[in-house]
PDB file of all heavy atoms in Angstrom:
ATOM      1  N   GLN A   1     123.221  91.045 104.719  1.00  0.00           N
ATOM      2  CA  GLN A   1     123.956  89.819 105.022  1.00  0.00           C
ATOM      3  C   GLN A   1     125.147  90.087 105.931  1.00  0.00           C
ATOM      4  O   GLN A   1     125.493  89.253 106.776  1.00  0.00           O
ATOM      5  CB  GLN A   1     124.411  89.165 103.710  1.00  0.00           C
ATOM      6  CG  GLN A   1     123.243  88.653 102.874  1.00  0.00           C
ATOM      7  CD  GLN A   1     123.677  88.127 101.523  1.00  0.00           C
ATOM      8  OE1 GLN A   1     124.151  88.870 100.669  1.00  0.00           O
ATOM      9  NE2 GLN A   1     123.512  86.835 101.316  1.00  0.00           N
ATOM     10  N   LYS A   2     125.769  91.252 105.776  1.00  0.00           N
ATOM     11  CA  LYS A   2     126.897  91.609 106.620  1.00  0.00           C
ATOM     12  C   LYS A   2     126.450  92.041 108.011  1.00  0.00           C
ATOM     13  O   LYS A   2     127.041  91.645 109.021  1.00  0.00           O
ATOM     14  CB  LYS A   2     127.701  92.733 105.965  1.00  0.00           C
ATOM     15  CG  LYS A   2     128.894  93.203 106.775  1.00  0.00           C
ATOM     16  CD  LYS A   2     129.640  94.337 106.075  1.00  0.00           C
ATOM     17  CE  LYS A   2     130.796  94.845 106.932  1.00  0.00           C
ATOM     18  NZ  LYS A   2     131.523  95.968 106.252  1.00  0.00           N
ATOM     19  N   ASP A   3     125.382  92.847 108.079  1.00  0.00           N
ATOM     20  CA  ASP A   3     124.925  93.390 109.359  1.00  0.00           C
ATOM     21  C   ASP A   3     124.204  92.355 110.205  1.00  0.00           C
ATOM     22  O   ASP A   3     124.142  92.493 111.439  1.00  0.00           O
ATOM     23  CB  ASP A   3     124.003  94.592 109.127  1.00  0.00           C
ATOM     24  CG  ASP A   3     124.741  95.784 108.545  1.00  0.00           C
ATOM     25  OD1 ASP A   3     125.978  95.853 108.722  1.00  0.00           O
ATOM     26  OD2 ASP A   3     124.101  96.642 107.907  1.00  0.00           O
ATOM     27  N   PHE A   4     123.648  91.335 109.575  1.00  0.00           N
ATOM     28  CA  PHE A   4     122.959  90.266 110.304  1.00  0.00           C
ATOM     29  C   PHE A   4     123.594  88.932 109.911  1.00  0.00           C
ATOM     30  O   PHE A   4     123.018  88.149 109.144  1.00  0.00           O
ATOM     31  CB  PHE A   4     121.464  90.269 109.971  1.00  0.00           C
ATOM     32  CG  PHE A   4     120.765  91.561 110.321  1.00  0.00           C
ATOM     33  CD1 PHE A   4     120.574  92.542 109.361  1.00  0.00           C
ATOM     34  CD2 PHE A   4     120.315  91.803 111.614  1.00  0.00           C
ATOM     35  CE1 PHE A   4     119.945  93.740 109.672  1.00  0.00           C
ATOM     36  CE2 PHE A   4     119.677  92.992 111.941  1.00  0.00           C
ATOM     37  CZ  PHE A   4     119.497  93.959 110.970  1.00  0.00           C
ATOM     38  N   PRO A   5     124.793  88.653 110.422  1.00  0.00           N
ATOM     39  CA  PRO A   5     125.534  87.473 109.972  1.00  0.00           C
ATOM     40  C   PRO A   5     124.850  86.145 110.292  1.00  0.00           C
ATOM     41  O   PRO A   5     125.147  85.128 109.660  1.00  0.00           O
ATOM     42  CB  PRO A   5     126.873  87.596 110.720  1.00  0.00           C
ATOM     43  CG  PRO A   5     126.589  88.486 111.884  1.00  0.00           C
ATOM     44  CD  PRO A   5     125.539  89.433 111.426  1.00  0.00           C
ATOM     45  N   ASP A   6     123.917  86.148 111.247  1.00  0.00           N
ATOM     46  CA  ASP A   6     123.228  84.902 111.601  1.00  0.00           C
ATOM     47  C   ASP A   6     121.899  84.763 110.861  1.00  0.00           C
ATOM     48  O   ASP A   6     121.030  83.989 111.267  1.00  0.00           O
ATOM     49  CB  ASP A   6     122.990  84.836 113.103  1.00  0.00           C
ATOM     50  CG  ASP A   6     122.167  86.013 113.617  1.00  0.00           C
ATOM     51  OD1 ASP A   6     122.075  87.032 112.913  1.00  0.00           O
ATOM     52  OD2 ASP A   6     121.616  85.906 114.740  1.00  0.00           O
ATOM     53  N   HIS A   7     121.724  85.516 109.763  1.00  0.00           N
ATOM     54  CA  HIS A   7     120.462  85.469 109.039  1.00  0.00           C
ATOM     55  C   HIS A   7     120.265  84.121 108.349  1.00  0.00           C
ATOM     56  O   HIS A   7     121.227  83.408 108.063  1.00  0.00           O
ATOM     57  CB  HIS A   7     120.420  86.583 107.984  1.00  0.00           C
ATOM     58  CG  HIS A   7     121.340  86.339 106.826  1.00  0.00           C
ATOM     59  ND1 HIS A   7     122.695  86.586 106.877  1.00  0.00           N
ATOM     60  CD2 HIS A   7     121.102  85.855 105.573  1.00  0.00           C
ATOM     61  CE1 HIS A   7     123.246  86.273 105.733  1.00  0.00           C
ATOM     62  NE2 HIS A   7     122.309  85.819 104.912  1.00  0.00           N
ATOM     63  N   ARG A   8     119.007  83.808 108.088  1.00  0.00           N
ATOM     64  CA  ARG A   8     118.670  82.642 107.267  1.00  0.00           C
ATOM     65  C   ARG A   8     118.461  83.103 105.829  1.00  0.00           C
ATOM     66  O   ARG A   8     117.753  84.072 105.580  1.00  0.00           O
ATOM     67  CB  ARG A   8     117.398  81.976 107.797  1.00  0.00           C
ATOM     68  CG  ARG A   8     117.529  81.389 109.195  1.00  0.00           C
ATOM     69  CD  ARG A   8     118.288  80.081 109.181  1.00  0.00           C
ATOM     70  NE  ARG A   8     117.536  79.034 108.492  1.00  0.00           N
ATOM     71  CZ  ARG A   8     116.681  78.215 109.111  1.00  0.00           C
ATOM     72  NH1 ARG A   8     116.465  78.335 110.412  1.00  0.00           N
ATOM     73  NH2 ARG A   8     116.046  77.285 108.427  1.00  0.00           N
ATOM     74  N   LEU A   9     119.078  82.410 104.876  1.00  0.00           N
ATOM     75  CA  LEU A   9     118.953  82.733 103.460  1.00  0.00           C
ATOM     76  C   LEU A   9     118.106  81.666 102.782  1.00  0.00           C
ATOM     77  O   LEU A   9     118.400  80.467 102.874  1.00  0.00           O
ATOM     78  CB  LEU A   9     120.330  82.807 102.800  1.00  0.00           C
ATOM     79  CG  LEU A   9     120.348  83.013 101.284  1.00  0.00           C
ATOM     80  CD1 LEU A   9     119.747  84.362 100.922  1.00  0.00           C
ATOM     81  CD2 LEU A   9     121.760  82.882 100.736  1.00  0.00           C
ATOM     82  N   ILE A  10     117.046  82.114 102.109  1.00  0.00           N
ATOM     83  CA  ILE A  10     116.145  81.199 101.417  1.00  0.00           C
ATOM     84  C   ILE A  10     115.965  81.696  99.992  1.00  0.00           C
ATOM     85  O   ILE A  10     115.736  82.891  99.758  1.00  0.00           O
ATOM     86  CB  ILE A  10     114.776  81.118 102.130  1.00  0.00           C
ATOM     87  CG1 ILE A  10     114.962  80.656 103.579  1.00  0.00           C
ATOM     88  CG2 ILE A  10     113.832  80.188 101.379  1.00  0.00           C
ATOM     89  CD1 ILE A  10     113.795  80.966 104.471  1.00  0.00           C
ATOM     90  N   LEU A  11     116.082  80.795  99.024  1.00  0.00           N
ATOM     91  CA  LEU A  11     115.917  81.149  97.611  1.00  0.00           C
ATOM     92  C   LEU A  11     114.564  80.643  97.115  1.00  0.00           C
ATOM     93  O   LEU A  11     114.227  79.464  97.307  1.00  0.00           O
ATOM     94  CB  LEU A  11     117.035  80.536  96.770  1.00  0.00           C
ATOM     95  CG  LEU A  11     118.474  80.866  97.167  1.00  0.00           C
ATOM     96  CD1 LEU A  11     119.449  80.201  96.200  1.00  0.00           C
ATOM     97  CD2 LEU A  11     118.716  82.365  97.195  1.00  0.00           C
ATOM     98  N   LEU A  12     113.802  81.529  96.492  1.00  0.00           N
ATOM     99  CA  LEU A  12     112.582  81.123  95.802  1.00  0.00           C
ATOM    100  C   LEU A  12     112.900  81.081  94.319  1.00  0.00           C
ATOM    101  O   LEU A  12     113.096  82.122  93.686  1.00  0.00           O
ATOM    102  CB  LEU A  12     111.442  82.113  96.071  1.00  0.00           C
ATOM    103  CG  LEU A  12     111.001  82.308  97.525  1.00  0.00           C
ATOM    104  CD1 LEU A  12     109.769  83.211  97.579  1.00  0.00           C
ATOM    105  CD2 LEU A  12     110.718  80.991  98.211  1.00  0.00           C
ATOM    106  N   GLU A  13     112.972  79.890  93.764  1.00  0.00           N
ATOM    107  CA  GLU A  13     113.459  79.728  92.394  1.00  0.00           C
ATOM    108  C   GLU A  13     112.403  79.200  91.428  1.00  0.00           C
ATOM    109  O   GLU A  13     112.624  79.194  90.221  1.00  0.00           O
ATOM    110  CB  GLU A  13     114.670  78.796  92.390  1.00  0.00           C
ATOM    111  CG  GLU A  13     115.842  79.352  93.207  1.00  0.00           C
ATOM    112  CD  GLU A  13     116.956  78.328  93.399  1.00  0.00           C
ATOM    113  OE1 GLU A  13     116.665  77.237  93.935  1.00  0.00           O
ATOM    114  OE2 GLU A  13     118.091  78.624  93.005  1.00  0.00           O
ATOM    115  N   GLN A  14     111.255  78.743  91.937  1.00  0.00           N
ATOM    116  CA  GLN A  14     110.222  78.234  91.035  1.00  0.00           C
ATOM    117  C   GLN A  14     109.388  79.385  90.509  1.00  0.00           C
ATOM    118  O   GLN A  14     108.793  80.148  91.273  1.00  0.00           O
ATOM    119  CB  GLN A  14     109.321  77.210  91.735  1.00  0.00           C
ATOM    120  CG  GLN A  14     108.288  76.602  90.787  1.00  0.00           C
ATOM    121  CD  GLN A  14     107.570  75.407  91.367  1.00  0.00           C
ATOM    122  OE1 GLN A  14     107.899  74.949  92.467  1.00  0.00           O
ATOM    123  NE2 GLN A  14     106.598  74.888  90.643  1.00  0.00           N
ATOM    124  N   ASN A  15     109.340  79.506  89.190  1.00  0.00           N
ATOM    125  CA  ASN A  15     108.636  80.596  88.530  1.00  0.00           C
ATOM    126  C   ASN A  15     107.275  80.095  88.051  1.00  0.00           C
ATOM    127  O   ASN A  15     107.172  79.018  87.464  1.00  0.00           O
ATOM    128  CB  ASN A  15     109.481  81.099  87.351  1.00  0.00           C
ATOM    129  CG  ASN A  15     108.812  82.198  86.564  1.00  0.00           C
ATOM    130  OD1 ASN A  15     107.878  81.969  85.826  1.00  0.00           O
ATOM    131  ND2 ASN A  15     109.316  83.416  86.723  1.00  0.00           N
ATOM    132  N   TYR A  16     106.234  80.917  88.284  1.00  0.00           N
ATOM    133  CA  TYR A  16     104.879  80.531  87.901  1.00  0.00           C
ATOM    134  C   TYR A  16     104.355  81.369  86.729  1.00  0.00           C
ATOM    135  O   TYR A  16     103.189  81.280  86.377  1.00  0.00           O
ATOM    136  CB  TYR A  16     103.931  80.694  89.101  1.00  0.00           C
ATOM    137  CG  TYR A  16     104.227  79.718  90.210  1.00  0.00           C
ATOM    138  CD1 TYR A  16     105.098  80.065  91.242  1.00  0.00           C
ATOM    139  CD2 TYR A  16     103.668  78.451  90.225  1.00  0.00           C
ATOM    140  CE1 TYR A  16     105.393  79.177  92.262  1.00  0.00           C
ATOM    141  CE2 TYR A  16     103.956  77.545  91.243  1.00  0.00           C
ATOM    142  CZ  TYR A  16     104.815  77.911  92.252  1.00  0.00           C
ATOM    143  OH  TYR A  16     105.109  77.022  93.263  1.00  0.00           O
ATOM    144  N   ARG A  17     105.226  82.173  86.124  1.00  0.00           N
ATOM    145  CA  ARG A  17     104.766  83.150  85.147  1.00  0.00           C
ATOM    146  C   ARG A  17     105.268  82.856  83.730  1.00  0.00           C
ATOM    147  O   ARG A  17     104.579  83.141  82.759  1.00  0.00           O
ATOM    148  CB  ARG A  17     105.250  84.536  85.590  1.00  0.00           C
ATOM    149  CG  ARG A  17     104.761  85.693  84.757  1.00  0.00           C
ATOM    150  CD  ARG A  17     105.373  86.992  85.270  1.00  0.00           C
ATOM    151  NE  ARG A  17     104.990  87.260  86.644  1.00  0.00           N
ATOM    152  CZ  ARG A  17     105.679  88.016  87.484  1.00  0.00           C
ATOM    153  NH1 ARG A  17     106.818  88.571  87.083  1.00  0.00           N
ATOM    154  NH2 ARG A  17     105.267  88.217  88.708  1.00  0.00           N
ATOM    155  N   SER A  18     106.479  82.320  83.608  1.00  0.00           N
ATOM    156  CA  SER A  18     107.129  82.231  82.300  1.00  0.00           C
ATOM    157  C   SER A  18     107.420  80.785  81.924  1.00  0.00           C
ATOM    158  O   SER A  18     107.362  79.872  82.758  1.00  0.00           O
ATOM    159  CB  SER A  18     108.441  83.026  82.309  1.00  0.00           C
ATOM    160  OG  SER A  18     108.211  84.365  82.676  1.00  0.00           O
ATOM    161  N   THR A  19     107.789  80.584  80.664  1.00  0.00           N
ATOM    162  CA  THR A  19     108.244  79.272  80.220  1.00  0.00           C
ATOM    163  C   THR A  19     109.740  79.136  80.492  1.00  0.00           C
ATOM    164  O   THR A  19     110.441  80.118  80.736  1.00  0.00           O
ATOM    165  CB  THR A  19     107.990  79.107  78.708  1.00  0.00           C
ATOM    166  OG1 THR A  19     108.702  80.127  78.004  1.00  0.00           O
ATOM    167  CG2 THR A  19     106.506  79.208  78.402  1.00  0.00           C
ATOM    168  N   GLN A  20     110.235  77.901  80.422  1.00  0.00           N
ATOM    169  CA  GLN A  20     111.634  77.653  80.763  1.00  0.00           C
ATOM    170  C   GLN A  20     112.589  78.335  79.785  1.00  0.00           C
ATOM    171  O   GLN A  20     113.662  78.792  80.170  1.00  0.00           O
ATOM    172  CB  GLN A  20     111.914  76.145  80.785  1.00  0.00           C
ATOM    173  CG  GLN A  20     113.262  75.779  81.389  1.00  0.00           C
ATOM    174  CD  GLN A  20     113.352  76.155  82.865  1.00  0.00           C
ATOM    175  OE1 GLN A  20     112.451  75.863  83.640  1.00  0.00           O
ATOM    176  NE2 GLN A  20     114.431  76.818  83.254  1.00  0.00           N
ATOM    177  N   ARG A  21     112.204  78.437  78.518  1.00  0.00           N
ATOM    178  CA  ARG A  21     113.086  79.070  77.541  1.00  0.00           C
ATOM    179  C   ARG A  21     113.341  80.532  77.914  1.00  0.00           C
ATOM    180  O   ARG A  21     114.466  81.026  77.810  1.00  0.00           O
ATOM    181  CB  ARG A  21     112.471  78.973  76.139  1.00  0.00           C
ATOM    182  CG  ARG A  21     113.420  79.424  75.025  1.00  0.00           C
ATOM    183  CD  ARG A  21     112.745  79.300  73.671  1.00  0.00           C
ATOM    184  NE  ARG A  21     112.303  77.951  73.403  1.00  0.00           N
ATOM    185  CZ  ARG A  21     113.058  76.970  72.910  1.00  0.00           C
ATOM    186  NH1 ARG A  21     114.338  77.220  72.648  1.00  0.00           N
ATOM    187  NH2 ARG A  21     112.573  75.777  72.677  1.00  0.00           N
ATOM    188  N   ILE A  22     112.305  81.228  78.352  1.00  0.00           N
ATOM    189  CA  ILE A  22     112.458  82.631  78.771  1.00  0.00           C
ATOM    190  C   ILE A  22     113.361  82.715  79.999  1.00  0.00           C
ATOM    191  O   ILE A  22     114.250  83.572  80.088  1.00  0.00           O
ATOM    192  CB  ILE A  22     111.081  83.261  79.050  1.00  0.00           C
ATOM    193  CG1 ILE A  22     110.321  83.442  77.732  1.00  0.00           C
ATOM    194  CG2 ILE A  22     111.225  84.595  79.783  1.00  0.00           C
ATOM    195  CD1 ILE A  22     108.900  83.912  77.904  1.00  0.00           C
ATOM    196  N   LEU A  23     113.162  81.835  80.965  1.00  0.00           N
ATOM    197  CA  LEU A  23     113.982  81.860  82.186  1.00  0.00           C
ATOM    198  C   LEU A  23     115.447  81.579  81.855  1.00  0.00           C
ATOM    199  O   LEU A  23     116.355  82.231  82.401  1.00  0.00           O
ATOM    200  CB  LEU A  23     113.464  80.829  83.187  1.00  0.00           C
ATOM    201  CG  LEU A  23     112.038  81.043  83.699  1.00  0.00           C
ATOM    202  CD1 LEU A  23     111.664  79.938  84.687  1.00  0.00           C
ATOM    203  CD2 LEU A  23     111.875  82.400  84.342  1.00  0.00           C
ATOM    204  N   ASP A  24     115.690  80.603  80.966  1.00  0.00           N
ATOM    205  CA  ASP A  24     117.072  80.275  80.593  1.00  0.00           C
ATOM    206  C   ASP A  24     117.746  81.467  79.916  1.00  0.00           C
ATOM    207  O   ASP A  24     118.921  81.766  80.165  1.00  0.00           O
ATOM    208  CB  ASP A  24     117.094  79.060  79.659  1.00  0.00           C
ATOM    209  CG  ASP A  24     116.705  77.775  80.387  1.00  0.00           C
ATOM    210  OD1 ASP A  24     116.708  77.776  81.641  1.00  0.00           O
ATOM    211  OD2 ASP A  24     116.400  76.784  79.703  1.00  0.00           O
ATOM    212  N   ALA A  25     117.015  82.136  79.039  1.00  0.00           N
ATOM    213  CA  ALA A  25     117.583  83.302  78.351  1.00  0.00           C
ATOM    214  C   ALA A  25     117.898  84.419  79.348  1.00  0.00           C
ATOM    215  O   ALA A  25     118.965  85.048  79.293  1.00  0.00           O
ATOM    216  CB  ALA A  25     116.611  83.805  77.289  1.00  0.00           C
ATOM    217  N   ALA A  26     116.973  84.663  80.280  1.00  0.00           N
ATOM    218  CA  ALA A  26     117.196  85.703  81.288  1.00  0.00           C
ATOM    219  C   ALA A  26     118.413  85.379  82.151  1.00  0.00           C
ATOM    220  O   ALA A  26     119.260  86.240  82.418  1.00  0.00           O
ATOM    221  CB  ALA A  26     115.952  85.865  82.158  1.00  0.00           C
TER     222      ALA A  26
END
């Protein structure tokens, strides 16, 4: 992020493996 200040940041937040209770605990 520092070396490439013009980078695009994208978050992948949808989980296809676990239930919501596990994700909340993590």
Side-chain angles (χ1 to χ4, degrees):
Q1 293 175 294
K2 179 181 177 181
D3 292 337
F4 300 96
D6 58 342
H7 71 280
R8 296 283 293 270
L9 175 64
I10 302 161
L11 304 181
L12 300 186
E13 298 170 303
Q14 183 169 355
N15 178 287
Y16 293 92
R17 185 183 299 156
S18 304
T19 60
Q20 191 64 48
R21 189 180 302 276
I22 290 174
L23 298 180
D24 290 345

